[in-house]
Amino acid sequence: MIYEFDDILTREELAKVITTVKHGGFHEGAAGAGWQAESVKHNEESDGAIVQEVAKVVGQALARSDKFKALAWPKRLAGFLVSRYKPGMTYGTHVDNALLNNARSDMSFTLFLSEPDTYEGGELVIEQGDGERIIKPPKGHMVLYSTGALHHVAEVTKGERLAVVGWVRSYVRDPGAREMLYDLDCVMQDLRDRPDDRPILDRVAKVRTNLLRLWVDD
């Protein structure tokens, strides 16, 4: 599944991240790619100090997002990078690494830092069973998707595309299990506002808790 988040950062946080990124240095992105992605990766990435500063701000925002926590069940954030695409740059079809910084990666996210009308091309394209999902949202929006999905970034033909990319190690390994837990969370939210349905809420909570006991990888 693919999930979109509107304004995951506050306005102040977004401005801070963009300013930090634009004042950072960039290098050839292929140097940090795995063997499968190296030949198709043609972009630029920022250096370590900038990434650490951005990761701190974005990590704090994710930690307070109930929707992110309900969807990802994050055990840890496995890594971050800051990418830049200028005209002629692209990232061909690839799948993200299964292990990052000694942690299994279960979900990936892209946080867009450029308004879509400031660059041409540069869409994030994620393959699904029923076709491709083409994504080019406003700046400040984030997309969360399975790390195991094939995806690519279309060639930028004009302007500049900036983004933060990160990976999540989840307590719940199976994507289908995470989706079911999220559905149960949504049902429980609805039932909390209906006092007469408290017995149903208790039953749903019991099912959710016992499924976690089966599925959590601690």
Side-chain angles (χ1 to χ4, degrees):
M1 297 294 292
I2 300 170
Y3 305 96
E4 294 194 39
F5 295 73
D6 300 342
D7 304 321
I8 193 75
L9 304 179
T10 66
R11 183 177 300 178
E12 293 75 19
E13 287 171 333
L14 179 59
K16 181 178 181 180
V17 167
I18 292 173
T19 299
T20 300
V21 168
K22 288 189 174 181
H23 284 84
F26 286 85
H27 55 80
E28 174 58 45
W35 68 268
Q36 184 263 343
E38 184 178 9
S39 63
V40 297
K41 187 175 185 180
H42 306 291
N43 67 357
E44 296 176 337
E45 293 178 4
S46 196
D47 56 32
I50 298 300
V51 174
Q52 289 177 9
E53 190 170 347
V54 168
K56 181 179 179 180
V57 176
V58 176
Q60 290 172 344
L62 295 177
R64 67 169 182 262
S65 170
D66 291 336
K67 179 179 177 181
F68 173 77
K69 290 183 285 187
L71 285 167
W73 285 92
K75 182 173 185 178
R76 59 175 285 196
L77 299 177
F80 284 86
L81 65 80
V82 176
S83 67
R84 180 171 71 181
Y85 292 78
K86 296 188 293 187
M89 293 184 176
T90 182
Y91 196 164
T93 301
H94 65 285
V95 61
D96 291 343
N97 290 340
L99 291 173
L100 291 162
N101 299 320
N102 298 315
R104 187 185 71 239
S105 56
D106 297 305
M107 303 193 81
S108 304
F109 62 84
T110 299
L111 171 63
F112 291 79
L113 302 180
S114 303
E115 289 289 11
D117 60 357
T118 63
Y119 63 99
E120 294 181 3
E123 296 87 356
L124 172 62
V125 183
I126 303 172
E127 294 189 15
Q128 301 183 111
D130 58 350
E132 294 181 335
R133 176 83 170 269
I134 299 173
I135 303 166
K136 190 176 180 180
K139 72 177 181 181
H141 287 218
M142 189 184 84
V143 179
L144 178 69
Y145 51 98
S146 172
T147 301
L150 286 170
H151 59 285
H152 70 271
V153 176
E155 180 181 351
V156 170
T157 58
K158 183 179 179 180
E160 179 181 83
R161 177 194 191 267
L162 295 171
V164 178
V165 180
W167 297 271
V168 184
R169 163 72 187 275
S170 177
Y171 278 108
V172 181
R173 182 191 297 256
D174 182 74
R178 291 195 299 268
E179 184 178 357
M180 282 187 274
L181 289 170
Y182 181 67
D183 288 341
L184 288 172
D185 278 342
C186 292
V187 172
M188 289 175 64
Q189 289 290 342
D190 290 340
L191 292 173
R192 285 191 183 102
D193 298 328
R194 293 153 52 181
D196 292 343
D197 289 331
R198 179 57 193 248
I200 301 174
L201 173 60
D202 292 340
R203 290 287 182 177
V204 175
K206 175 186 174 183
V207 170
R208 176 182 175 275
T209 300
N210 287 327
L211 286 175
L212 280 170
R213 289 193 178 96
L214 289 173
W215 292 336
V216 163
D217 176 12
D218 57 2

